Structures are given as structure tokens and as C-alpha cells.
Amino acid sequence: MSAAMRTLAFLALIGISSSQTPDCSYLRLLNHLNLPTTNSALSIMRPVKNWTTTTILKLDMWLYGILEVDEKCQTLTSHVWIQMSWPNEFLTWNSSDFCGLDMVTVPRSMLWTPDIVIQEDASDSGSIHKGDYHSLMSSGRVRSNIRQRLTSTCRLNLYRFPFDEQHCNITFTSTTYQEDLLKLETYNNDTVLAKVSEHIMITQGEWQLENIKVTTDPWFHDGENFYKLIYMVKISRKPLLYVVILIIPLFYLLVLDLASFFIHEARGEKLSFKVTVLLSISVLLLILQDMLPSTEDALPMIATFCVSIFTMVGLSVLEAMVVIFLIDFDDFIGKKVQSCDNAHVDTQMDVIQNEPVGAEEKGEVKAEKSYLPLDWPKDGDLLKLILEEVRAARQEVGKQDKVKKKPSYYRKLAEIVDSVFFGIYLLTFLSFLVWMYVNWFRNPN
Ligand SMILES: *[C@@H]1O[C@H](CO)[C@@H](O)[C@H](O)[C@H]1NC(C)=O
Ligand SMILES: *[C@@H]1O[C@H](CO)[C@@H](O)[C@H](O)[C@H]1NC(C)=O
Ligand SMILES: *[C@@H]1O[C@H](CO)[C@@H](O)[C@H](O)[C@H]1NC(C)=O
Ligand SMILES: *[C@@H]1O[C@H](CO)[C@@H](O)[C@H](O)[C@H]1NC(C)=O
């Protein structure tokens, strides 16, 4: 009996204590906030008790990655994480009344969300992708986290490509709430934003994040005044790949072309070498054309570089043609002169042949030799015959050498043209390099 009483007392005690234990469920909080029974007004109105109160929206954007910069389309594709928070004056509670519960997640559709857009957004899927849930703090702050792939337009200045820096703006603004109703701010200052972005950056491809600056600006539109929060992202290109695949080969080709002036002008060889160099340059030009947009306002420095080299090599091909033509012309004239001279040479040969014969006649040997072809000569005569033939041959060769050695007018002209052009070419090359260095590689700052 006493045992039964004790059990009853125990059960009663449990009942009392359980009724005294506070309900720590989310449900109690949601009921307290009147959320489930829904209050659709909460998702419609800007959550302020006095409509003149300005809602201050804190918006931080972290850059997770620079995925692509499209020079032709002038867009920057990045991976961003946007954190927004704003106060909701109706949804506050004292966390100590709810077992210390100070945060609850609420579907986005149940709460008011500011209509923030990115002005530069060029992605098909439209503006900011909204998350499905908001976090609600006990103080009434609503937090929203968004991660998205953002394609934003950015006016790229490619004048100093590939040693360029780009400044891209990402502008957040509201489309409906004017400046006096919705104000945009950042939670962290820009030093922190840039530092953290640099730290968390997973991929940035060929780009290097230089810094992020944040400014706010009013934006006038149809006589209305909107608030603008601008993230100015400065990125610089890592130029090594372009230096290796474009600039160094072009430079080497130009040096090769310079060196080809030292090839002895063996007709086609020099010319075909130069033409090969010209073709290689045009291949590199094609690669370049794939990369750069055809904006007309400022021709990128690298295009000037390529075209200048192409022109220089082209001119040197022309020059090689002129030199070859001059030499050919000279040979042609020389041949004509030689054929005129040949008769003269033959008569000379006769004289030469006659002279020694005459001398020998004067010496020991007599009439026997003058009729050489008639009968087969004896041993000594054979030697003499050979000697004479060799002498004649030598003299003829000597004559021809003299003809060749004597530089005629056109050959001389060709040589002069060649050396003068080489001098000018070398000077142009050097001044071109200096000009390029000053305008291109050197930092403008
Ligand atoms: C609403 O705010 C305005 C300006 O801050 C103030 O003048 C007005 O008294 C407020 N109204 C109420 C009911 O608090
Ligand atoms: C929350 O409630 C506790 C106890 O009920 C009280 O001491 C505290 O001041 C309250 N805090 C706020 C911000 O009202
Ligand atoms: C970015 O915004 C700043 C501030 O309004 C402006 O001065 C700058 O020209 C903008 N840059 C670009 C590339 O639009
Ligand atoms: C930015 O914030 C950090 C930490 O909050 C602070 O140390 C730093 O001085 C701030 N920089 C500027 C420019 O306000």
C-alpha cells in the first residue's frame, strides 16, 4: 500500500516537474512569433514599425574565384558569395525565454526580402540567385547567404595586353526602394574583404586579384534616387604564357630574319628562308586574332608589335627580291658582254698560242710541231702538247676570273642596297625594341 502511494507520489512528481520544464522546441518560438499561422504581411511589407525608418542592408561580397575573363565578349565570370543582412523589427525575442535559442531558419517566401540586383549581371539566369532559407536572429536580424556564378560585363582595356590590369565594377542596387528607404552598406570594410577574398580564393586562372574597393554612390533614375554599392575589383593578368607563346617567338623570328642577311645570296635560299619566317609570323597573328576583340578605339600594343614585325620582315623579303633581281640582271648583262668578249678572247688565245710556239721555233725545236694534228706526236711532244693545253686553259680561266672579279655596276648596287637596308633594318629593330619597352612593358604607374 505504502509502495503504491509512493509510486503515485513519484508519478505526480514527474507530472509536476515535466509541466515545469520549459518547452525548448522551435515550434514554441515559431508560435510565439506567429509565423506558422501565417502572417503573409511579413513577406510583403518592409519590416519596419514606422515607414519613415530607413532599412539598412548590410551586404558583403566575397570573391571565391575568377573563372574566366572573356576578352571578346568583355565579360568577367566569377564565383561570388554574397552575405546580406537586414533588421526585421517584428520578429524579435528574448533568447533566455526559449532555452537560449537565438537563431531559427525560415523559408524565404515567408519573409520580406530586399530586391537587390547587380547592374553588370549578364548571365542568362538573371540577377542574384536567392537562397531557399533565411536565418532569423533573436535580435530580429535576417541573414541571407548566396553563392553564385556571376557573369558580369566589364569594359576591358586591352591596350597593354598581356601586361594589363582590369578594373571591373560589381554594382548592387535596389530597383524599387529609394535612397531614403533602403540604404546599402558593407559589414566588413574593404581591407578585410580583399584580404579574405585573397585568402579563400580557390581558383583565379591567369588572373591575380590586386584589390577590392567599395564605394557607395547615389544613382539617379527617372527622377528617383537609388542607392548604389559598388565593388571595384582590380585584377591583373599573369603574362608569362603569352610571353612564351607569342612575344618570344616573334622576337626570335625577327632576329632570325636579321641573321638571314648573312646568308650568302645563293638565289632562292635566302628568299625562301625569309618567306618561311613571314609565314610563321602570320600563324602567330592568327592565334592573336582569336584572342583579341576587334575594338577600334585603341589597337592593343601586341597587335602593333605583330604588325610591325610582319611589315619589317615583309620589307626585308622585298629587299631580298630586289637584290636577287639586281644580281641576276648583272649576270645577264655580264653574259652578254662575255659573249661579245669571247671573240676577243679567242683571238687573244691565238696570240697566246702562237707566241710560245714562235719562241720555241726560235729555240731548239723546229717545224715538226706546227702540224701537230697530222701525225701522232712522240713522247716529248705529247708532254709539250699537254703543257700548252693546260696553259691555255689556265689563261682562259684567269680571263673568266677577271671578268667575274670585276664587280659590275648592278652587282655593286645590289651590295650597297643590301648593306644600307641591313643598317636601317638594324636601327629600326633597336628603336622598335626601345619604343616597345617604354610603351608596353614598363608599368604606367
Ligand atoms: C515616425 O518617424 C518619424 C521620423 O523619424 C517621426 O517624426 C514620427 O513621430 C514617427 N512616428 C511614430 C508613430 O513613431
Ligand atoms: C531576457 O529575459 C531575461 C529573463 O527573463 C532578462 O533578465 C533579460 O533582461 C531579458 N533580455 C532582454 C534583452 O530583454
Ligand atoms: C567603377 O565605378 C567607379 C565609381 O563610380 C567609377 O569611377 C569607375 O569609372 C567605374 N569603372 C568602370 C570600369 O566602370
Ligand atoms: C578595417 O577593419 C579592420 C578590422 O575590423 C581594422 O583593423 C582596419 O583598421 C579597418 N580598415 C579601415 C581602412 O578602416
Side-chain angles (χ1 to χ4, degrees):
M1 198 169 60
S2 65
M5 283 294 286
R6 241 181 289 159
T7 315
L8 213 66
F10 182 66
L11 283 176
L13 197 69
I14 288 177
I16 290 160
S17 68
S18 69
S19 71
Q20 270 175 353
T21 312
D23 181 1
C24 283
S25 69
Y26 284 113
L27 184 64
R28 203 176 126 233
L29 175 60
L30 295 179
N31 283 334
H32 169 76
L33 297 174
N34 259 343
L35 273 174
T37 53
T38 218
N39 210 330
S40 62
L42 273 180
S43 64
I44 297 170
M45 59 172 188
R46 191 162 58 88
V48 286
K49 285 177 176 155
N50 184 342
W51 78 273
T52 53
T53 311
T54 309
T55 299
I56 294 178
L57 173 65
K58 297 204 167 178
L59 190 151
D60 278 9
M61 185 193 73
W62 313 94
L63 208 55
Y64 258 74
I66 298 167
L67 303 181
E68 195 188 353
V69 174
D70 192 332
E71 285 85 10
K72 274 198 176 298
C73 300
Q74 304 262 309
T75 55
L76 164 74
T77 304
S78 49
H79 180 195
V80 294
W81 182 20
I82 300 165
Q83 277 184 312
M84 291 194 284
S85 76
W86 62 90
N88 186 322
E89 292 179 359
F90 297 99
L91 302 176
T92 58
W93 70 92
N94 186 340
S95 65
S96 50
D97 293 344
F98 295 90
C99 319
L101 177 64
D102 67 350
M103 195 207 71
V104 64
T105 52
V106 179
R108 178 168 61 86
S109 56
M110 294 179 89
L111 297 179
W112 175 84
T113 310
D115 57 335
I116 296 297
V117 294
I118 297 173
Q119 285 189 337
E120 286 86 4
D121 195 348
S123 31
D124 294 337
S125 43
S127 267
I128 299 175
H129 300 188
K130 306 273 191 322
D132 287 339
Y133 287 95
H134 288 328
S135 316
L136 183 61
M137 309 291 160
S138 58
S139 61
R141 266 206 111 63
V142 184
R143 256 206 230 150
S144 167
N145 284 340
I146 301 152
R147 286 177 73 143
Q148 79 172 92
R149 180 192 166 100
L150 173 72
T151 303
S152 57
T153 52
C154 178
R155 197 184 167 86
L156 302 172
N157 183 351
L158 295 169
Y159 181 66
R160 278 158 39 80
F161 174 91
F163 303 97
D164 52 342
E165 281 172 358
Q166 303 298 346
H167 301 262
C168 290
N169 283 0
I170 297 176
T171 308
F172 294 91
T173 186
S174 163
T175 49
T176 51
Y177 294 98
Q178 291 192 38
E179 191 178 18
D180 47 351
L181 300 181
L182 188 69
K183 217 171 193 173
L184 293 164
E185 274 179 9
T186 56
Y187 192 74
N188 292 292
N189 63 28
D190 38 14
T191 344
V192 175
L193 285 174
K195 273 259 153 60
V196 173
S197 284
E198 211 167 301
H199 191 68
I200 60 177
M201 187 83 87
I202 294 162
T203 168
Q204 41 187 338
E206 63 175 291
W207 295 89
Q208 175 76 44
L209 178 70
E210 293 289 335
N211 65 41
I212 296 177
K213 283 207 156 48
V214 186
T215 58
T216 52
D217 226 7
W219 174 47
F220 298 98
H221 180 68
D222 284 347
E224 293 173 318
N225 198 359
F226 295 95
Y227 214 81
K228 250 186 357 181
L229 182 70
I230 307 171
Y231 278 78
M232 290 184 281
V233 180
K234 183 175 164 195
I235 51 178
S236 64
R237 196 191 297 268
K238 298 175 190 161
L240 187 63
L241 181 71
Y242 297 96
V243 170
V244 168
I245 66 162
L246 273 177
I247 296 170
I248 289 180
L250 273 170
F251 180 74
Y252 283 168
L253 286 172
L254 193 62
V255 170
L256 272 183
D257 188 55
L258 265 177
S260 76
F261 278 91
F262 297 104
I263 299 178
H264 187 258
E265 73 282 318
R267 297 294 115 79
E269 266 172 44
K270 188 173 172 181
L271 191 62
S272 61
F273 180 80
K274 278 172 182 284
V275 171
T276 313
V277 170
L278 200 64
L279 283 179
S280 323
I281 294 176
S282 58
V283 170
L284 291 178
L285 271 178
L286 276 182
I287 296 179
L288 194 66
Q289 193 250 327
D290 274 350
M291 289 189 290
L292 297 182
S294 65
T295 48
E296 284 159 33
D297 36 356
L299 193 66
M301 217 52 191
I302 192 162
T304 316
F305 179 67
C306 280
V307 168
S308 306
I309 288 180
F310 195 79
T311 313
M312 281 163 82
V313 175
L315 282 180
S316 96
V317 168
L318 269 183
E319 187 268 347
M321 281 173 176
V322 167
V323 165
I324 285 172
F325 170 75
L326 283 177
I327 288 170
D328 280 346
F329 192 63
D330 185 67
D331 284 352
F332 175 68
I333 300 269
K335 252 178 218 155
K336 239 186 183 175
V337 171
Q338 226 173 321
S339 61
C340 292
D341 279 356
N342 268 353
H344 180 61
V345 171
D346 283 349
T347 51
Q348 265 191 331
M349 283 287 290
D350 282 349
V351 174
I352 288 156
Q353 253 179 347
N354 286 345
E355 240 177 51
V357 171
E360 273 156 20
E361 264 172 5
K362 267 172 210 162
E364 315 105 49
V365 198
K366 265 125 222 174
E368 290 168 352
K369 251 150 303 135
S370 50
Y371 36 85
L372 285 172
L374 289 182
D375 59 281
W376 199 247
K378 289 154 215 165
D379 293 358
D381 292 340
L382 187 65
L383 270 180
K384 266 186 189 153
L385 186 70
I386 291 170
L387 187 71
E388 256 162 47
E389 286 290 321
V390 167
R391 205 188 273 160
R394 256 181 61 183
Q395 255 160 354
E396 198 164 340
V397 168
K399 269 247 143 14
Q400 271 180 353
D401 267 4
K402 254 185 234 163
V403 169
K404 215 171 216 170
K405 257 177 204 159
K406 195 185 98 195
S408 70
Y409 175 69
Y410 292 106
R411 189 171 283 268
K412 231 186 220 163
L413 185 65
E415 274 163 17
I416 290 170
V417 166
D418 209 28
S419 4
V420 167
F421 185 84
F422 179 71
I424 294 174
Y425 196 58
L426 196 62
L427 273 181
T428 317
F429 174 67
L430 292 178
S431 43
F432 175 65
L433 285 189
V434 170
W435 181 73
M436 274 293 162
Y437 175 76
V438 168
N439 276 291
W440 191 12
F441 302 98
R442 225 184 38 172
N443 214 312
N445 308 328

